[in-house]
């Protein structure tokens, strides 16, 4: 068994009993919520899942056991029904799709209280989400097997763009300050 196969097997073991599934990919493997698994489908349906997370694991260098994890967040919004325009109901059918790549940090929770099947007011839904959970499924076994993580390409590009923007804003501020002092505003 190669080092990569050993890592994939370890992540699969760690993902057992969770809503995540591990699938092999050409440059490594992916970890994502298994929306086709019947045991998790009802929960995901209740949550009105519109966002899905895929953690792309790229083996950067098999010899040095280096990998990168790229978050791939896909959001689907859709609307069906009627809207009121100028007082008249108008049928509406629309949707949108968005995608974020890189390192996306997100945490959330949803608690719903309603009348349950026994006619009692009770908590019917209690869900928490932390985007680090999927990465931790990968990082734990990777560390145990001696792998190291480096930033993925999308994350590095985002970091460079952010730092460059900050530097340019500071330079623009300095130019404005120099002009203001020179001209005497």
């Amino acid at each position: 068994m190669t080092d990569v196969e050993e890592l994939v097997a370890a992540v699969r073991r760690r993902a057992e009993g969770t809503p995540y599934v591990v699938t092999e990919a050409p440059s490594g493997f992916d970890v994502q919520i298994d929306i086709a698994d019947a045991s998790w489908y009802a929960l995901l349906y209740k949550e009105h899942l519109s966002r899905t997370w895929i953690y792309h694991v790229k083996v950067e260098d098999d010899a040095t056991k280096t990998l990168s994890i790229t978050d791939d967040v896909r959001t689907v919004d859709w609307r069906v029904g009627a809207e009121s325009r100028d007082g008249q109901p108008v049928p509406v059918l629309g949707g949108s799709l968005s995608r974020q790549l890189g390192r996306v940090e997100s945490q959330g929770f949803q608690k719903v209280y309603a009348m349950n099947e026994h006619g009692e007011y009770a908590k019917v839904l209690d869900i928490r989400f932390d985007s680090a959970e999927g990465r931790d499924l990968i990082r734990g076994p990777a560390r145990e097997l001696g792998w190291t993580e480096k930033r993925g390409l999308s994350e590095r590009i985002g970091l460079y763009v952010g730092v460059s923007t900050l530097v340019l804003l500071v330079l623009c501020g300095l130019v404005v300050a120099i002009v203001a002092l020179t001209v005497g505003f």
Side-chain angles (χ1 to χ4, degrees):
M1 182 179 276
T2 67
D3 290 335
V4 176
E5 291 170 339
E6 188 178 3
L7 177 60
V8 171
V11 173
R12 276 197 176 114
R13 283 191 301 275
R14 182 71 58 98
E16 287 176 3
T18 72
Y20 292 91
V21 64
V22 179
T23 55
E24 293 184 34
S27 61
F29 60 96
D30 296 334
V31 175
Q32 66 185 358
I33 293 177
D34 187 7
I35 58 175
D37 184 345
S39 62
W40 297 104
Y41 183 76
L43 177 66
L44 297 172
Y45 178 75
K46 273 185 176 178
E47 189 183 355
H48 304 290
L49 178 71
S50 64
R51 183 179 296 178
T52 185
W53 295 73
I54 304 169
Y55 303 93
H56 299 290
V57 179
K58 181 179 179 187
V59 176
E60 299 289 343
D61 188 354
D62 193 7
T64 61
K65 290 186 168 185
T66 306
L67 60 84
S68 64
I69 303 171
T70 301
D71 301 354
D72 185 354
V73 184
R74 299 173 187 186
T75 305
V76 177
D77 275 327
W78 53 273
R79 298 178 306 143
V80 177
E83 286 184 356
S84 177
R85 292 192 186 145
D86 298 326
Q88 298 295 321
V90 177
V92 174
L93 175 63
S96 66
L97 175 66
S98 67
R99 184 177 185 194
Q100 293 174 281
L101 281 173
R103 181 59 37 98
V104 181
E105 298 292 341
S106 178
Q107 296 176 349
F109 69 93
Q110 181 179 9
K111 293 181 187 230
V112 176
Y113 291 85
M115 296 296 232
N116 64 16
E117 61 273 3
H118 305 295
E120 303 164 333
Y121 186 74
K123 189 185 323 181
V124 294
L125 185 63
D126 188 0
I127 297 173
R128 294 187 179 281
F129 177 78
D130 186 350
S131 60
E133 180 181 83
R135 285 189 299 275
D136 290 344
L137 285 173
I138 301 159
R139 286 178 172 154
R143 272 193 303 267
E144 292 167 8
L145 295 171
W147 287 80
T148 57
E149 181 182 354
K150 73 176 217 174
R151 295 183 192 278
L153 178 63
S154 297
E155 188 177 354
R156 288 192 312 263
I157 290 171
L159 188 60
Y160 294 144
V161 168
V163 169
S164 299
T165 301
L166 183 60
V167 168
L168 288 173
L169 286 172
V170 169
L171 289 174
C172 287
L174 289 172
V175 168
V176 168
I178 290 169
V179 168
L181 290 173
T182 306
V183 175
F185 281 107

